Amino acid sequence: MAGIEHIEVEPDEAGMRLDRWFKVHFPGLGFGQLQKLMRSGQVRVDGGRVKTDARVQPGQMVRVPPLDVDAKGPKSGPIAGSDLKHSGDAELLARMLLHEDDKVYVLNKPAGLAVQGGSGLTRHIDKMLEAWTNKKGEKPRLVHRLDRDTSGVLVVARTRGAAQKLTAAFRERDTKKTYWSLVKGVPRKHEDKISTWLVKEATPDGDRMRIAKHGEEDADHAISYYRVLETAAQSLAWLEMEPYTGRTHQLRVHALHMGHPIIGDPKYFDDDPNWDFPGGVQKRLHLHARHIDIPHPNGGRLRVTAPLPPHMVQTWNLLGLDMASAGEPDDE
């Protein structure tokens, strides 16, 4: 057991919640233990008392009392493609963890990792969650999905009862999901609602959704909302998008339907010889599940925000897009 430490917050930890900071540096420290240390004032930031949801900034000093846990066991920071191949399930899940309590985990899913299995998939989150099976033999349960190429907030239930309540919240649309995207061009209306019918069709490149006519067989109604947060040289727009319904590829198809497909979308962004793909921007899907607001199984609301994946951070920096200008939802 080490003595009192004062650890400086690193530049890549800017804006990280203090409880998440401890999860990264001291993965063996339980949330309950941390709360006790906070309440008794043993954990301080720049000498002052703080709460677990405080946001740390580079250069701040975190006072860490003696802890009977291992320091910084697993690797921290953004999850790269090599990590997905070589890191263990429990380690990867711990690095994705944004929120943990007795009923719910919230993960920040990296782009490129599937949520569920499919043909040719050797690794997916549903299978990885077996590493977090509890002493009763209960494996955490998925309650919603994200596309493989979409990063961001993924809610996971820790118990059967929690899964039932969370699933009902999604079904009854008592959730608010906010996505950030970067699209080609700038929509004429800076805020609007998109309402269409969608149907799945098989293509040589796999299943794809398309706009359908009202009444078309197997078509589902889909509603999305968007607003423009910022633009770059009138050739790109940063959108905040909210799906009211939860159809497959809904936001991606609706962006295409507007005439403003999401940058780097492998299914719905067609190369245009009259439009230059921005230099320095990776050809990866620029769609991120940024924030969720959902009823907590124990009562009240759970609100969690996920940091952008590395390829989108790179793009935002390249284009000079100011994340602070969007305003941040309040997490609890």
Side-chain angles (χ1 to χ4, degrees):
M1 187 186 298
I4 294 173
E5 294 182 87
H6 290 85
I7 302 175
E8 185 173 352
V9 177
E10 299 290 336
D12 64 355
E13 296 170 337
M16 187 181 284
R17 280 174 57 127
L18 188 58
D19 51 4
R20 172 69 181 144
W21 185 91
F22 268 92
K23 195 73 183 175
V24 169
H25 287 262
F26 301 93
L29 182 68
F31 186 69
Q33 292 173 275
L34 176 60
Q35 285 184 310
K36 287 180 183 177
L37 295 170
M38 306 288 282
R39 282 197 296 268
S40 61
Q42 294 184 68
V43 169
R44 294 178 179 246
V45 175
D46 285 349
R49 287 189 178 226
V50 283
K51 295 183 178 179
T52 53
D53 62 355
R55 304 276 180 176
V56 296
Q57 299 300 331
Q60 288 185 322
M61 301 299 293
V62 181
R63 180 192 189 274
V64 180
L67 302 174
D68 193 13
V69 297
D70 292 331
K72 203 136 182 170
K75 184 180 172 186
S76 63
I79 295 171
S82 59
D83 296 324
L84 294 179
K85 292 179 182 176
H86 304 299
S87 298
D89 290 348
E91 179 188 339
L92 275 180
L93 289 170
R95 288 175 61 188
M96 293 179 212
L97 194 63
L98 295 171
H99 170 88
E100 173 188 8
D101 59 47
D102 62 335
K103 295 293 174 61
V104 182
Y105 292 123
V106 182
L107 307 178
N108 184 13
K109 186 189 86 65
L113 178 61
V115 172
Q116 286 184 299
S119 64
L121 288 177
T122 56
R123 193 167 212 184
H124 53 86
I125 286 181
D126 193 31
K127 174 78 171 152
M128 292 168 68
L129 286 170
E130 291 175 3
W132 278 357
T133 299
N134 65 20
K135 292 176 182 177
K136 296 179 182 177
E138 270 191 311
K139 172 191 146 190
R141 295 166 169 83
L142 296 170
V143 294
H144 68 126
R145 313 283 181 267
L146 287 177
D147 295 342
R148 180 178 181 177
D149 293 320
T150 303
S151 57
V153 176
L154 185 71
V155 179
V156 177
R158 296 186 66 168
T159 66
R160 183 186 299 275
Q164 291 172 339
K165 290 181 179 179
L166 292 166
T167 301
F170 280 103
R171 186 176 58 246
E172 294 159 12
R173 301 191 180 123
D174 188 15
T175 62
K176 183 178 180 182
K177 293 177 286 182
T178 305
Y179 289 72
W180 279 3
S181 67
L182 186 73
V183 302
K184 173 186 172 184
V186 179
R188 186 172 54 84
K189 292 184 178 179
H190 273 223
E191 193 167 340
D192 205 5
K193 170 185 175 181
I194 308 164
S195 176
T196 70
W197 290 80
L198 298 180
V199 70
K200 185 183 290 186
E201 62 180 4
T203 74
D205 297 324
D207 288 343
R208 179 184 165 109
M209 304 300 289
R210 66 167 172 81
I211 303 296
K213 294 176 182 175
H214 178 59
E216 190 170 329
E217 187 177 0
D218 296 328
D220 292 312
H221 193 210
I223 297 172
S224 305
Y225 298 88
Y226 78 86
R227 68 185 178 105
V228 177
L229 294 179
E230 203 172 333
T231 63
Q234 290 302 304
S235 63
L236 297 163
W238 165 19
L239 304 187
E240 179 181 86
M241 306 183 80
E242 291 180 16
Y244 177 71
T245 51
R247 312 303 180 199
T248 302
H249 299 171
Q250 176 177 319
L251 295 178
R252 297 163 65 178
V253 181
H254 275 171
L256 176 65
H257 177 64
M258 285 197 296
H260 302 285
I262 297 173
I263 295 297
D265 191 329
K267 278 187 182 287
Y268 302 101
F269 190 100
D270 293 325
D271 287 332
D272 181 349
N274 299 315
W275 191 81
D276 293 326
F277 197 89
V281 173
Q282 295 185 43
K283 287 194 175 183
R284 303 184 67 187
L285 181 67
H286 283 60
L287 179 63
H288 177 70
R290 175 68 173 169
H291 184 77
I292 195 161
D293 178 339
I294 187 170
H296 193 284
N298 290 341
R301 309 276 307 181
L302 175 65
R303 300 180 179 92
V304 182
T305 301
L308 288 175
H311 72 279
M312 289 180 69
V313 171
Q314 179 186 348
T315 299
W316 261 236
N317 290 338
L318 182 75
L319 300 175
L321 298 174
D322 181 12
M323 279 185 263
S325 69
E328 288 300 328
D330 293 327
D331 293 351
E332 286 187 342

